Amino acid sequence: RSSSEWTMCCSSAFGCLRLIVDDFLDKLPDDSIDDGLTRTALLDCCASFGSSQHDVNISLTATGMLWTIADQDDSPASVDHVLAKLASLASDSRVEVRNCSVNTLFSCIAGCGQRFSASQWYKCMNETIFSILDDVASHCNPDVDELTADDAETIEFNKSTRYVVSRHHTRDSTIKQWTTTKVLVLRGIERVLRLYFQQLISTMCNDEEVVVSPATEKIRSQWFMRAWEKIVSFSY
């Protein structure tokens, strides 16, 4: 919506949400009391404002608020929920929101990763980071029929290689914007690996089984070897 009435309503509602996050997070009911429903609702509100097309500044602020909540409550359930919301925002059509979400997500992982279990790392890498990278890569290499006029002038596909060759560097095409996002994702992965590579390797050095979910089979702790191979394949 774009009416002036909706603008005022949206701004007022977001102001209330920001007040709660800034000043009253420590007053929220303990998760053991309401099964985390209050905190889940708060995260959902932040994500909704983040994806709202109404005001990009509100979206950027709401994205940062997700990290604030994760920083205040770093329980596995809370962090997993925050990462899921940030991953969703990382596919936003607005480059500012998309890139902010990517940077925030990797900052959140960097700040909380030392407390991740093997199962959390599995979910983080395979269900969060790789899903973002796959989505971004698909936008960087669309079908020729899907190219806009600007994109068609900006890139040419070299059939002998997997890489895209830029031509008009002065034009900020959609594909160039998605390529910038891809670079941020790869830099984020590099940051996580530099911080936690030994911790990730250690998940392969024990007999622990990584339980993905009760409904799926258990995956042996060698999962990171497959994840590493995928990271290398994206990088070269």
Side-chain angles (χ1 to χ4, degrees):
R1 301 182 185 183
S2 58
S3 67
S4 59
E5 293 83 359
W6 178 249
T7 298
M8 294 178 60
C9 179
C10 183
S11 298
S12 297
F14 183 71
C16 294
L17 177 65
R18 188 171 183 179
L19 177 65
I20 294 172
V21 173
D22 288 346
D23 296 338
F24 297 105
L25 274 183
D26 58 342
K27 304 298 183 182
L28 295 182
D30 188 86
D31 288 353
S32 61
I33 297 177
D34 68 349
D35 293 327
L37 294 178
T38 301
R39 196 171 300 275
T40 296
L42 191 62
L43 291 171
D44 290 343
C45 285
C46 290
S48 295
F49 277 108
S51 61
S52 171
Q53 301 292 313
H54 166 68
D55 187 326
V56 69
N57 291 319
I58 286 180
S59 295
L60 294 174
T61 304
T63 300
M65 287 161 59
L66 287 168
W67 185 14
T68 300
I69 297 172
D71 189 49
Q72 193 268 350
D73 175 18
D74 58 1
S75 65
S78 178
V79 173
D80 288 349
H81 198 167
V82 168
L83 294 182
K85 295 301 183 183
L86 289 171
S88 177
L89 291 171
S91 62
D92 196 277
S93 60
R94 296 163 296 174
V95 62
E96 304 93 342
V97 176
R98 186 169 69 238
N99 291 348
C100 176
S101 301
V102 168
N103 286 331
T104 303
L105 180 140
F106 282 106
S107 293
C108 186
I109 296 172
C112 302
Q114 71 271 16
R115 294 180 291 278
F116 279 12
S117 64
S119 296
Q120 277 185 284
W121 275 120
Y122 176 92
K123 186 175 182 180
C124 176
M125 295 294 294
N126 289 279
E127 298 182 15
T128 302
I129 294 177
F130 287 159
S131 66
I132 294 173
L133 193 53
D134 287 338
D135 181 67
V136 172
S138 70
H139 283 88
C140 292
N141 298 281
D143 294 333
V144 175
D145 293 339
E146 298 177 355
L147 294 176
T148 65
D150 285 348
D151 291 332
E153 292 181 4
T154 304
I155 66 170
E156 62 181 4
F157 290 95
N158 186 336
K159 295 182 179 180
S160 64
T161 180
R162 60 180 287 189
Y163 297 103
V164 175
V165 181
S166 296
R167 296 198 297 181
H168 294 280
H169 297 284
T170 58
R171 188 169 292 188
D172 193 20
S173 70
T174 301
I175 288 181
K176 285 182 68 175
Q177 292 175 350
W178 278 101
T179 300
T180 299
T181 302
K182 183 178 179 179
V183 171
L184 292 178
V185 175
L186 291 174
R187 287 178 177 172
I189 293 174
E190 176 196 9
R191 180 184 179 188
V192 169
L193 291 176
R194 280 192 289 106
L195 287 171
Y196 298 115
F197 191 74
Q198 290 300 321
Q199 184 176 341
L200 289 164
I201 288 293
S202 70
T203 67
M204 302 192 300
C205 300
N206 54 56
D207 294 328
E208 177 189 358
E209 290 180 322
V210 178
V211 182
V212 181
S213 73
T216 60
E217 63 177 322
K218 294 179 179 180
I219 298 178
R220 298 298 299 181
S221 57
Q222 294 294 319
W223 69 270
F224 182 63
M225 184 62 70
R226 294 187 292 275
W228 177 248
E229 291 171 353
K230 187 167 185 176
I231 292 171
V232 173
S233 72
F234 271 116
S235 303
Y236 292 96

